Amino acid sequence: MELVVATKNLKKLKEIKEILKDLKPKISSLADYPGCPRIIENGENFKSNAVKKALKTAAFTGKLTLGEDSGLCVNALGGKPGIYSSRFSG
């Protein structure tokens, strides 16, 4: 099985490889496809961003693709920063 993980985040890629290790897939990431179009994560939630990343990457590579998106949702901050986590601290 070959799987493209739609991420440039090496820590997330490592975590996903660890989770899937028993399946022994051949895993690549966006780093392996430098011509892949830039994906703007402008969805309303983590799921919509992950789906967008998966669909655009799969269309470009022609391969089975896993999209991911994550962030911090802090109760004391009313669930923020959420999807804006990477931009929250400037």
Side-chain angles (χ1 to χ4, degrees):
M1 174 176 66
E2 186 174 356
L3 177 68
V4 179
V5 180
T7 190
K8 291 182 181 177
N9 184 313
L10 296 178
K11 289 182 181 180
K12 288 182 185 177
L13 182 62
K14 183 179 176 182
E15 290 174 355
I16 292 167
K17 284 181 176 182
E18 178 63 26
I19 291 167
L20 299 176
K21 70 181 178 188
D22 292 339
L23 298 175
K24 298 179 175 62
K26 177 184 175 193
I27 296 178
S28 58
S29 71
L30 292 176
D32 298 300
Y33 298 93
C36 190
R38 182 171 173 257
I39 301 164
I40 298 170
E41 296 178 40
N42 58 357
E44 294 181 9
N45 53 48
F46 296 125
K47 180 181 176 181
S48 62
N49 282 335
V51 168
K52 182 177 184 180
K53 289 169 72 173
L55 292 174
K56 287 191 174 263
T57 302
F60 179 79
T61 64
K63 297 179 180 180
L64 178 67
T65 303
L66 172 69
E68 61 76 27
D69 193 27
S70 64
L72 301 172
C73 299
V74 181
N75 289 338
L77 297 174
K80 293 181 180 169
I83 61 172
Y84 305 105
S85 293
S86 66
R87 300 176 290 281
F88 186 71
S89 64

